[in-house]
Amino acid sequence: PEAFNEFSRERRRAYFLRRTKEEMIYLDGRPLYPKRISDTLAYELTQGEVSEQKLYDETTDYLRFVYNKAKQLNREAARLAMNVFQRRLASSTYALLRSFERRMEKLKALIADIQDGKLTPEQMLTLQARLQEEDLLDTTTADEEGDEEHGEAHEAAEDRLLQGFVAASLTDLLAEKEQVKALIDLAHKVLESGHESKFVKLREVLTAERFGKEKIIVFTEHRDTLEYLVRRLGGLG
């Protein structure tokens, strides 16, 4: 403000003062906008042999295993693919399950191509080394994505990353296939238990008395989680 006051009236016309909503008030001093409250709501993962914690730990071990195999070929692609799985893991159990199911389809196709002689180990290594993909979440916003007809750019980029994230040999692919199969089975069991801790916390907010007459917008990064929420919320009426 002191520097602005030193400007001549003519020069001031080229500038304007920008204020945050919290600073904007009526003439009598009352806030122009309602007070904004931002809370981070924590929740505990379920524990036990068939639990969210177990799935989280097993997924983390899987990511370390595959990353250590793949980073020798294409470290950047391996890192980005790990980020995809970690974001899906944080989004919902269902989103993680769908990622593993897509990964299993790719693994089966790769294994079949190698066993049938359609793809040599050398060709597989070449494809892996050439894989290039950027993390669009770091470079674009949702407004810059596609539409319902053409699909969303973030999802398409993630799918390409997961499909191209391959191992160094047929032995590695077979070992990863067994890991993914076990993770799919565990994710199914966790879902079938009917308890998703993150959804339980969301339901508490939706049914809280303080929000009884409020409109609520739920944001999610992944379409799989969106579909899961539609089903669960629909079940609640």
Side-chain angles (χ1 to χ4, degrees):
E2 291 78 11
F4 187 77
N5 289 333
E6 294 179 5
F7 273 35
S8 66
R9 185 177 299 276
E10 290 73 21
R11 293 191 64 189
R12 289 187 190 185
R13 292 173 181 168
Y15 298 86
F16 66 91
L17 290 178
R18 186 170 187 171
R19 300 188 185 279
T20 63
K21 288 185 176 181
E22 288 77 11
E23 293 179 296
M24 299 179 72
I25 58 175
Y26 288 103
L27 293 179
D28 60 6
R30 290 180 297 114
L32 185 62
Y33 293 94
K35 184 179 180 181
R36 178 179 180 271
I37 301 174
S38 178
D39 293 327
T40 298
L41 306 179
Y43 58 93
E44 296 292 332
L45 298 178
T46 57
Q47 304 293 315
E49 274 305 302
V50 178
S51 66
E52 293 168 323
Q53 185 67 58
K54 180 72 170 179
L55 180 61
Y56 181 92
D57 293 339
E58 293 292 330
T59 299
T60 301
D61 289 343
Y62 161 79
L63 292 175
R64 290 198 186 105
F65 170 79
V66 179
Y67 175 70
N68 287 330
K69 291 289 184 182
K71 68 180 181 181
Q72 301 168 3
L73 304 170
N74 192 327
R75 183 185 298 270
E76 186 63 14
R79 182 188 68 79
L80 291 177
M82 281 188 68
N83 287 345
V84 171
F85 273 116
Q86 289 169 332
R87 288 199 292 257
R88 298 283 177 95
L89 177 62
S91 183
S92 68
T93 300
Y94 182 73
L96 180 64
L97 169 63
R98 292 296 294 128
S99 294
F100 280 135
E101 289 175 339
R102 295 185 187 107
R103 181 62 187 152
M104 178 62 83
E105 292 174 3
K106 181 61 177 178
L107 286 170
K108 288 180 177 178
L110 281 170
I111 291 171
D113 284 348
I114 293 175
Q115 291 176 334
D116 294 342
K118 298 178 181 178
L119 182 68
T120 67
E122 291 75 18
Q123 289 172 326
M124 185 178 71
L125 293 177
T126 301
L127 290 174
Q128 168 70 6
R130 289 178 179 173
L131 177 66
Q132 292 185 343
E133 189 68 62
E134 64 177 340
D135 191 345
L136 291 182
L137 283 180
D138 289 340
T139 58
T140 63
T141 68
D143 293 336
E144 297 171 302
E145 289 200 318
D147 52 31
E148 287 293 333
E149 180 181 354
H150 299 95
E152 296 181 357
H154 288 177
E155 289 184 342
E158 286 189 350
D159 284 340
R160 287 194 295 272
L161 274 170
L162 296 184
Q163 289 179 12
F165 195 25
V166 299
S169 68
L170 177 59
T171 301
D172 288 343
L173 287 174
L174 292 170
E176 184 187 350
K177 178 185 173 184
E178 291 304 310
Q179 275 191 298
V180 173
K181 181 180 183 300
L183 286 165
I184 289 174
D185 292 342
L186 180 56
H188 272 297
K189 291 176 181 177
V190 172
L191 278 176
E192 289 167 1
S193 71
H195 184 93
E196 172 107 10
S197 298
K198 195 173 185 180
F199 181 80
V200 171
K201 178 60 67 173
L202 173 62
R203 185 174 61 197
E204 289 178 6
V205 173
L206 295 175
T207 57
E209 184 176 350
R210 61 181 288 200
F211 300 122
K213 296 182 180 180
E214 299 285 348
K215 293 181 179 179
I216 295 180
I217 302 175
V218 180
F219 292 92
T220 180
E221 182 182 325
H222 299 100
R223 190 183 302 274
D224 292 325
T225 298
L226 174 65
E227 293 172 353
Y228 169 79
L229 289 174
V230 168
R231 290 198 304 271
R232 291 298 302 269
L233 294 175
L236 295 176

